[in-house]
């Protein structure tokens, strides 16, 4: 294999690993970070463990442009392979031009959403807007209780807010801190993140479909499925799927690697986007969903005796349409007073 092939293999491995991190990147002590620390403690000398832990803390628990750079580099690698090989081959096979340009249109939309999500104010709570933000949501008495003061910001926490240890600030309707956009996801940029995740998933799915269509077209034109080959024992066998995949890999190694990667990425991002769609439809944040698992869920909240745990109820859901509207048009104090 040439250097570019090996480089793409490495990039695919790295992005697949870090794509999983996106799901749990908003937690102060993410599962992946803890697992990485435990694994490295067995293979790294004791003298270097302190340095390793500080490096992991800086990587996973402080704001950094590293993931933004990684995101851009990997996206450029995928689109470079698509442009230089897949696009050219498909054009020669007379694929429709609009279909071939669709990934670029999605890329333009994705970059726009990325910039808005990264640069927008997620809902930083300051002394000047605290009095207004504290009136927007009611305290549910379980996840959010009145009178809790943030020890860092020295302000009472409004309902549905949380102090972000990455950014060192309290965020209104805090969802999570996304390392890929290097910003918190809160009330005022949740819509940008939702569209960013959707376009990212659509990009991967579109490239996967076009690439798979190209490889299928190659197989059909070569009439390989009706052929045969000689195995290691010298016997003639009909072409099977595994042999076909091996042949395509040897003929188009970078394209096959990219196809496998974008299919996996589509599944991971698609599942994560569906989870975010569920949260939007039920008017929950990732932070609230994660914290509610510890209290259990039910359709009503009753006063429990002291010897029984309190059961959590989502009091913020107002129906599917109103929940979606709240994502794209966050409520103001005046809107809440009218209700």
């Amino acid at each position: 294999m040439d250097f570019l092939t090996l480089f793409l293999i490495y990039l695919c491995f790295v992005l697949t690993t870090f794509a999983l991190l996106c799901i749990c990147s908003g937690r102060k002590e993410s599962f992946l970070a803890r697992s990485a620390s435990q694994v490295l403690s067995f293979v790294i000398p004791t003298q270097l463990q302190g340095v390793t832990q500080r490096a992991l803390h800086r990587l996973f628990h402080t704001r950094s442009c590293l993931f933004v750079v990684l995101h851009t580099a990997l996206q450029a690698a995928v689109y470079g392979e698509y442009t230089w090989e897949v696009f050219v081959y498909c054009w020669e096979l007379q694929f429709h031009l609009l279909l071939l340009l669709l990934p670029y249109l999605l890329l333009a939309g994705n970059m726009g959403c990325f910039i808005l999500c990264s640069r927008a104010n997620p809902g930083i709570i300051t002394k000047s807007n605290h009095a207004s933000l504290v009136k927007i949501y009611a305290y549910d008495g379980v996840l959010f209780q009145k009178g809790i003061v943030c020890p860092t910001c020295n302000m009472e926490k409004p309902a549905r807010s949380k102090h972000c240890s990455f950014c060192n600030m309290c965020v209104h309707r805090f969802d999570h801190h996304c390392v890929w956009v290097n910003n918190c996801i809160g009330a005022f940029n949740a819509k940008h993140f939702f569209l960013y995740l959707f376009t990212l998933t659509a990009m991967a799915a579109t490239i996967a479909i076009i690439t798979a269509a190209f490889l299928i077209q190659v197989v059909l034109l070569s009439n390989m499925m009706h052929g045969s080959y000689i195995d290691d024992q010298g016997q003639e066998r009909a072409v099977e799927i595994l042999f076909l995949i091996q042949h395509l890999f040897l003929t188009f190694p970078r394209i096959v690697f990219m196809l496998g990667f974008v299919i996996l990425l589509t599944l991971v991002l698609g599942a994560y986007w569906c989870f975010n769609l569920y949260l939007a439809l039920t008017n929950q944040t990732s932070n609230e969903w994660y914290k509610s698992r510890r209290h259990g869920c039910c359709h009503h909240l009753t006063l429990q005796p002291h010897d029984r745990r309190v059961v959590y109820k989502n009091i913020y859901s107002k129906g599917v349409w109103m929940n979606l509207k709240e994502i794209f048009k966050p409520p103001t104090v005046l809107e809440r007073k009218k209700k």
Side-chain angles (χ1 to χ4, degrees), residues 43-301:
V43 297
I44 294 179
T46 306
Q47 296 82 355
L48 297 178
Q49 289 184 14
V51 178
T52 304
Q53 290 177 356
R54 286 193 294 271
L56 287 174
H57 181 273
R58 181 174 180 80
L59 182 63
F60 292 108
H61 303 302
T62 59
R63 293 196 69 177
S64 172
C65 293
L66 174 63
F67 288 92
V68 176
V69 174
L70 179 64
H71 171 280
T72 304
L74 293 168
Q75 203 168 58
V78 171
Y79 269 85
E81 177 61 25
Y82 173 78
T83 302
W84 292 325
E85 292 203 78
V86 177
F87 185 95
V88 174
Y89 286 139
C90 290
W91 179 254
E92 293 176 354
L93 292 174
Q94 299 182 342
F95 277 57
H96 198 286
L97 180 59
L98 183 59
L99 176 63
L100 298 179
L101 293 178
L102 183 57
Y104 299 106
L105 298 177
L106 291 171
L107 176 63
N110 179 257
M111 293 304 297
C113 294
F114 170 81
I115 293 173
L116 290 173
C117 191
S118 178
R119 298 296 182 88
N121 177 2
I124 301 173
I125 301 174
T126 63
K127 292 183 179 180
S128 60
N129 63 16
H130 176 268
S132 299
L133 295 179
V134 78
K135 298 176 182 179
I136 293 181
Y137 293 112
Y139 293 92
D140 61 10
V142 181
L143 301 185
F144 307 104
Q145 300 183 15
K146 188 176 178 61
I148 303 298
V149 177
C150 174
T152 304
C153 300
N154 196 27
M155 292 183 294
E156 181 183 4
K157 290 184 177 181
R160 310 193 78 180
S161 68
K162 185 180 184 296
H163 184 87
C164 175
S165 59
F166 288 80
C167 304
N168 196 30
M169 60 188 181
C170 286
V171 177
H172 174 54
R173 199 183 183 277
F174 178 86
D175 190 278
H176 71 288
H177 181 94
C178 180
V179 296
W180 296 106
V181 300
N182 197 27
N183 197 8
C184 287
I185 307 303
F188 301 146
N189 66 348
K191 56 181 176 293
H192 304 316
F193 180 75
F194 187 80
L195 295 175
Y196 162 75
L197 197 59
F198 173 76
T199 53
L200 194 62
T201 306
M203 284 164 49
T206 303
I207 292 177
I209 292 172
I210 295 174
T211 305
F214 158 68
L215 293 176
I216 292 173
Q217 188 77 349
V218 169
V219 172
L220 294 177
L221 291 175
S222 63
N223 204 26
M224 289 181 55
M225 293 301 297
H226 301 287
S228 61
Y229 69 97
I230 306 299
D231 62 12
D232 296 336
Q233 288 74 33
Q235 297 180 352
E236 185 176 0
R237 294 181 179 274
V239 172
E240 301 169 345
I241 296 297
L242 292 179
F243 176 83
L244 187 61
I245 294 175
Q246 182 181 10
H247 175 77
L248 290 174
F249 170 74
L250 294 175
T251 308
F252 309 103
R254 291 187 293 269
I255 293 179
V256 173
F257 262 112
M258 186 189 72
L259 176 60
F261 167 67
V262 292
I263 288 176
L264 179 60
L265 193 61
T266 301
L267 296 176
V268 173
L269 290 175
Y272 187 49
W273 181 79
C274 288
F275 173 67
N276 277 266
L277 178 61
Y278 160 75
L279 294 179
L281 294 176
T282 56
N283 204 333
Q284 298 183 79
T285 65
S286 298
N287 177 56
E288 293 165 2
W289 180 87
Y290 175 66
K291 291 170 66 175
S292 68
R293 301 305 98 185
R294 294 179 296 181
H295 294 277
C297 299
C298 72
H299 298 290
H300 61 281
L301 177 64

Side-chain angles (χ1 to χ4, degrees), residues 1-3 5-6 9 249 253 257:
M1 297 182 188
D2 57 20
F3 174 77
T5 301
L6 294 175
I9 296 172
F249 170 74
F257 262 112

